[in-house]
Amino acid sequence: MESVPIPESAAECGDTPGYERMLCLIGLLKADISDDDILQNLQHDYSLEEAEQWSNLPAGAFPKRPGVLLGELNIKQRGFVKAIMLEATGHAPDEGFDEMIQTLNADDYINTVSTDYKAGYSSYNTKFAFLGTPGETGTWELYYGGHHMAFANTYTDGKLAGATPSFRGVEPFPYFEMNGRVNEPLTQERDAFATLLSSLSEDQKAEATLEGTYRDILAGPQADDAIPESYEGIPVSELDDDQQALLLTAVETYVDDISAPEAAAYMKKYTAELSDTYLGFSGTPQVSAENDYVRIHGPSLWIEFSLQSNKSTDKIGNHPHSVWRDRTDDYGGQTE
């Protein structure tokens, strides 16, 4: 996707970023698709049941994902998908759209070393869909998901109503070479957490340490009710100003995956809730060993980062699963 050109006709949508341009690009994409089956897989009615069908598994292991495979679209159509996603995502290096590209590259890398052909490791096996009809009114979700990736922006009446669930993972980790570049998605998340935990005093680390061992995240796919009601760890109110700033830097590595104005609104909300937010971890504060785990839990915010052994490559080491969820507007606050 990184090298796919954006079609010249996208200029019809102007150059002012935002929702109106995204709607225009969606219209151009739909108009370019003549295959009724592809169009039907692309455009769905909205239902929460279908929105919940996301996964961290490769395409062959979870065929229930809604949408059309990127590989079913021609280059021009993938160019429109690229332009649409650029409107919805952040543009910082290793965040947002760039992080998505690197996650796609990881599947292409795994495809060169894996013998599990039924799994379907390939960037072409990422799915793209509209759940609900994009427009100025009504509710719809922009869905983009595949192995180690779930992007789910829900819009209501032309406004972002929710940017979660948002899942990121990658293997190999922390870096690999593929498709003409060095890829290192999620190293910024890991480094931000390691810097934060290393800043804690021994007493603070003891208070932040969670009981038990976490071998994966809790609130992953098909686990929408897994976030506990009780808080564990150290209250962020007990951290000093510098430590709170480090925690917010870690949060930004998730929120910056969406467009800048919308990310700023989320950060304002999460900053206002800091006094009621908790930090917890299990394993080592370096966040570099198998079963190392970090959690940020607030009135709205839920973030998890988990390291586990490699599954899809023959490389010795670990790879991360990570999720950002908002307890107040997951799936745009939709309940059906």
Side-chain angles (χ1 to χ4, degrees), residues 144-291:
Y144 181 93
H147 185 213
H148 282 152
M149 170 64 64
F151 180 92
N153 270 13
T154 303
Y155 299 91
T156 297
D157 297 337
K159 304 282 187 185
L160 182 69
T164 63
S166 181
F167 182 97
R168 300 293 183 272
V170 67
E171 185 182 348
F173 183 76
Y175 68 90
F176 60 96
E177 293 186 24
M178 192 67 200
N179 293 336
R181 65 176 291 180
V182 174
N183 301 269
E184 46 184 357
L186 293 180
T187 57
Q188 71 277 14
E189 283 86 346
R190 192 274 303 277
D191 292 349
F193 283 129
T195 301
L196 169 61
L197 295 179
S198 296
S199 76
L200 302 180
S201 68
E202 293 305 312
D203 287 344
Q204 287 175 322
K205 287 176 184 174
E207 188 172 0
T209 299
L210 303 171
E211 293 185 5
T213 299
Y214 292 81
R215 293 182 172 84
D216 202 346
I217 60 174
L218 299 180
Q222 289 74 64
D224 295 322
D225 298 324
I227 298 175
E229 290 299 321
S230 59
Y231 293 87
E232 298 177 84
I234 185 172
V236 173
S237 58
E238 295 184 13
L239 305 183
D240 64 32
D241 289 346
D242 289 341
Q243 291 169 328
Q244 290 188 16
L246 290 175
L247 183 140
L248 289 173
T249 295
V251 173
E252 284 176 337
T253 65
Y254 292 82
V255 176
D256 283 353
D257 286 339
I258 62 175
S259 66
E262 294 158 337
Y266 270 109
M267 288 306 301
K268 182 177 180 180
K269 176 169 72 167
Y270 296 151
T271 301
E273 294 177 348
L274 271 187
S275 61
D276 297 311
T277 299
Y278 285 67
L279 168 67
F281 80 102
S282 177
T284 74
Q286 291 76 30
V287 197
S288 60
E290 184 176 353
N291 299 331

Side-chain angles (χ1 to χ4, degrees), residues 70-83:
L70 293 182
E72 296 179 272
L73 303 175
N74 61 36
I75 291 178
K76 181 180 180 183
Q77 292 159 359
R78 291 201 298 273
F80 282 128
V81 171
K82 178 179 181 177

Side-chain angles (χ1 to χ4, degrees), residues 92-110:
D94 299 321
E95 302 289 357
F97 188 77
D98 185 48
E99 188 174 68
M100 290 181 175
I101 290 296
Q102 294 182 66
T103 305
L104 292 177
N105 290 344
D107 250 29
D108 287 338
Y109 176 90
I110 295 172

Side-chain angles (χ1 to χ4, degrees), residues 283-302:
T284 74
Q286 291 76 30
V287 197
S288 60
E290 184 176 353
N291 299 331
D292 281 355
Y293 172 86
V294 190
R295 173 195 302 173
I296 300 175
H297 186 183
S300 303
L301 179 63
W302 175 268

